[in-house]
């Protein structure tokens, strides 16, 4: 089992460019999450999904969109990147709802927006 | 807004010393989790504490959940260089029937040999 994988590992964008981050899990988990991690701020939930075809907003959803067309994949999109979106992005998945079950995290994507 | 404050934010100690990391909030959480994160990797769950006053031990690590379920602590006995990393606490909150994690800012621990 690969667990949770994220693509790409690193990316540099210019302000206004768009990109999609891909998260894939091979554990047949229902729940998937996107977080961002900034220095001194811990991890903050951007969007999450409770199953295939569903998505919901987290704490900091502005400027991001997500899609969960397949159970194993959760995509995070930035339509028009801004320097404030420079961060490390983590995807996670869990079989049951977060808090009642272990969330498994991917290795992260380091994004720099110039 | 529910917040979790971790202290200290940075700790540098010698091998063999003991340390305690604190995680405090004004909000009540249904449970609380502790994670450890190494550079270039995602967080890995260490423990979940559920009941107020609960104490859990994981080898040299002792986790305690406050009686009122608003705070928690992580105590490491005889720290080793392999304990170096970022420690994160996360409170579980329920919202639209889905449990979500609210993370503290993290404590960076450096254990020198």
């Amino acid at each position: 089992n690969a667990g949770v994988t994220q693509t790409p590992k690193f990316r540099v964008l210019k302000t206004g460019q768009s990109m999609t981050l891909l998260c894939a899990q091979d554990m047949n988990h229902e729940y998937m999450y996107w977080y961002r991690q900034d220095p001194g701020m811990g991890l903050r939930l951007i969007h999450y999904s409770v199953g295939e075809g569903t998505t919901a907003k987290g704490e900091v959803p502005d400027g991001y969109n997500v899609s969960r067309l397949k159970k194993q994949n959760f995509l995070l999109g930035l339509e028009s990147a801004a320097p404030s979106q420079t961060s490390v992005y983590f995807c996670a998945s869990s079989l049951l709802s977060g808090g009642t079950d272990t969330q498994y995290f991917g290795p992260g994507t380091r994004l720099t927006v110039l | 807004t529910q917040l979790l404050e971790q202290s200290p934010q940075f700790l540098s100690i010698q091998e063999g010393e003991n340390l305690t990391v604190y995680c405090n909030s004004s909000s009540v959480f249904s449970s609380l989790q502790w994670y450890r994160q190494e550079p270039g990797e995602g967080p890995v769950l260490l423990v979940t504490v559920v009941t107020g006053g609960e104490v859990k031990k994981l080898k040299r690590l002792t986790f305690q959940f406050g009686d009122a379920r608003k705070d928690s602590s992580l105590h490491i006995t005889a720290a080793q260089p392999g304990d170096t990393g970022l420690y994160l606490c996360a409170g579980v909150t329920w919202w639209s029937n889905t449990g979500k994690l609210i993370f503290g800012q993290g404590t960076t621990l450096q254990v020198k040999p």
Side-chain angles (χ1 to χ4, degrees), chain B:
Chain B
T1 303
Q2 292 176 297
L3 292 173
L4 270 172
E5 296 287 335
Q6 273 188 250
S7 61
Q9 290 196 27
F10 185 79
L11 197 52
S12 180
I13 61 172
Q14 293 295 134
E15 181 176 1
E17 293 184 2
N18 301 333
L19 67 114
T20 302
V21 177
Y22 299 94
C23 180
N24 295 299
S25 177
S26 58
S27 303
V28 175
F29 292 100
S30 59
S31 60
L32 194 134
Q33 299 183 333
W34 284 92
Y35 289 79
R36 180 164 169 258
Q37 184 179 14
E38 301 204 26
E41 298 181 9
V44 175
L45 180 66
L46 294 174
V47 77
T48 300
V49 284
V50 179
T51 307
E54 183 177 3
V55 176
K56 279 193 174 177
K57 292 192 175 184
L58 192 67
K59 297 183 181 178
R60 293 176 292 99
L61 278 61
T62 301
F63 304 86
Q64 185 161 8
F65 200 14
D67 291 341
R69 304 206 319 274
K70 293 182 179 181
D71 55 86
S72 182
S73 63
L74 157 61
H75 182 79
I76 301 179
T77 304
Q80 299 176 0
D83 295 327
T84 292
L86 177 67
Y87 289 83
L88 295 156
C89 65
V92 178
T93 183
W94 287 86
W95 172 10
S96 299
N97 294 323
T98 302
K100 297 180 190 62
L101 301 179
I102 305 294
F103 282 87
Q105 317 98 303
T107 295
T108 299
L109 172 64
Q110 180 184 55
V111 183
K112 300 175 187 174

Side-chain angles (χ1 to χ4, degrees), chain A residues 5-113:
Chain A
T5 58
Q6 292 183 232
T7 310
K9 292 189 187 300
F10 302 94
R11 186 72 187 269
V12 178
L13 289 179
K14 293 182 180 178
T15 297
Q17 288 185 319
S18 63
M19 77 162 295
T20 301
L21 281 66
L22 171 63
C23 175
Q25 52 94 3
D26 62 1
M27 297 175 281
N28 202 34
H29 285 171
E30 290 292 337
Y31 295 79
M32 295 187 76
Y33 315 83
W34 274 108
Y35 293 90
R36 60 178 288 173
Q37 185 174 35
D38 302 295
M41 299 188 73
L43 281 85
R44 292 179 292 168
L45 183 64
I46 305 172
H47 285 282
Y48 65 98
S49 169
V50 302
E52 181 179 318
T54 73
T55 63
K57 294 180 180 180
E59 290 178 76
V60 289
D62 294 343
Y64 304 96
N65 56 74
V66 287
S67 64
R68 183 115 181 255
L69 298 179
K70 293 184 179 181
K71 186 176 184 179
Q72 62 268 34
N73 296 337
F74 195 27
L75 278 63
L76 177 71
L78 286 73
E79 290 185 348
S80 179
S84 60
Q85 293 178 304
T86 293
S87 188
V88 182
Y89 292 85
F90 288 98
C91 176
S93 71
S94 61
L95 181 62
L96 303 175
S97 181
T100 58
D101 195 15
T102 300
Q103 287 193 22
Y104 294 88
F105 286 81
T109 294
R110 185 173 293 275
L111 174 66
T112 301
V113 182

